[in-house]
Amino acid sequence: MTEEAIIRKLVADGDGTGDDRRILHLFHVTNKIVILLDQIEFSFRKQQQIAQAMNCERENYEKLYEEIGNLLNKNQEKMEEVKKQLAEAKQVKKNQQEYDNIAKMIKEKPSRAETTKKLKILQDELEEAYSKQKILEQKLIEKRESISTLAALLDELDETNKEQVEDVLMAEVEEGPVAPPPTNNKPNTNGEKVRNELEM
């Protein structure tokens, strides 16, 4: 018996208490069970979809977490590399400054050729001064020898003059008294005077 036939029979029967009424009650119960089963199935499918979505979302979060971890590791490595490059750049800059300072000092100092030239000039001047000193010393020696010779000649001349003066005095004594010659603090001979001047 189809569902439409059952419904027509129930309508014709009215509120009867026969089998048809029990069938109608069973039909209502069955419909409720079917509806409930549909709701349960819908809820189950919904929960299943939610679970799948949550699993998918969890997998996405895990992938995202892994990607973030990898990105953090890469950034950490990059930071370490940047720190290393920065330290190297600072060292290079420091070395460059030291090099510039040394180059500036070298530039301010005379070149090797200029220094050698100046040393040669000073050496030539020193040799010239030494030669002049030798010449002056030789001239001084010659002058001293000449003065010594002159002093000896003056001594001989003084001795000769002294003998002549003594002869004259002796002759005058024999003829009569003569006043004594004046005394002074001058050297006795011209030779001694020359020697004293030479020693001074």
Side-chain angles (χ1 to χ4, degrees):
M1 182 179 292
T2 63
E3 184 178 351
E4 293 179 357
I6 293 172
I7 293 173
R8 283 197 301 269
K9 187 175 182 180
L10 290 174
V11 171
D13 188 41
D15 294 332
T17 58
D19 294 334
D20 294 333
R21 186 175 180 80
R22 286 194 298 273
I23 292 172
L24 181 61
H25 178 70
L26 182 61
F27 177 76
H28 287 301
V29 172
T30 303
N31 284 336
K32 289 181 180 180
I33 292 172
V34 171
I35 292 171
L36 182 61
L37 290 174
D38 290 338
Q39 290 177 352
I40 292 172
E41 184 179 2
F42 176 76
S43 178
F44 176 75
R45 289 180 179 178
K46 185 177 180 180
Q47 292 296 328
Q48 190 177 17
Q49 290 177 355
I50 292 173
Q52 290 177 354
M54 290 180 66
N55 289 332
C56 183
E57 194 70 18
R58 181 177 58 80
E59 291 177 357
N60 291 334
Y61 280 130
E62 289 178 354
K63 290 180 181 179
L64 182 61
Y65 178 78
E66 185 177 358
E67 290 177 358
I68 292 174
N70 294 332
L71 184 61
L72 289 175
N73 292 332
K74 290 181 180 179
N75 289 336
Q76 184 68 25
E77 292 176 357
K78 287 183 179 179
M79 288 179 63
E80 294 295 332
E81 185 67 22
V82 169
K83 288 181 180 179
K84 184 178 179 181
Q85 292 177 358
L86 181 61
E88 292 177 354
K90 288 182 179 180
Q91 186 64 34
V92 170
K93 184 177 180 181
K94 182 180 179 181
N95 294 339
Q96 184 66 33
Q97 290 177 349
E98 292 178 355
Y99 172 79
D100 292 339
N101 292 333
I102 294 173
K104 185 177 180 181
M105 292 175 61
I106 293 174
K107 188 176 181 180
E108 291 176 353
K109 298 294 181 181
S111 63
R112 184 180 182 88
E114 293 178 356
T115 304
T116 304
K117 184 178 180 180
K118 289 181 179 180
L119 288 175
K120 183 66 170 58
I121 293 173
L122 291 175
Q123 186 175 2
D124 293 341
E125 291 178 353
L126 183 62
E127 290 178 356
E128 184 179 357
Y130 182 74
S131 299
K132 289 181 178 180
Q133 182 181 358
K134 285 293 184 181
I135 294 172
L136 291 175
E137 289 178 354
Q138 184 63 32
K139 288 182 178 180
L140 181 60
I141 292 172
E142 293 175 355
K143 186 175 181 181
R144 285 179 177 176
E145 291 177 353
S146 299
I147 292 174
S148 297
T149 303
L150 179 61
L153 292 175
L154 290 175
D155 287 340
E156 292 179 1
L157 182 60
D158 288 339
E159 187 67 26
T160 302
N161 291 335
K162 184 177 180 181
E163 291 177 356
Q164 292 177 357
V165 170
E166 288 178 352
D167 292 340
V168 171
L169 290 175
M170 289 297 295
E172 290 180 353
V173 167
E174 292 177 356
E175 294 177 357
V178 180
T183 60
N184 51 32
N185 295 327
K186 293 181 180 180
N188 294 329
T189 63
N190 292 327
E192 291 179 357
K193 183 177 180 181
V194 171
R195 289 191 183 91
N196 291 334
E197 290 179 355
L198 181 61
E199 291 177 357
M200 293 175 61

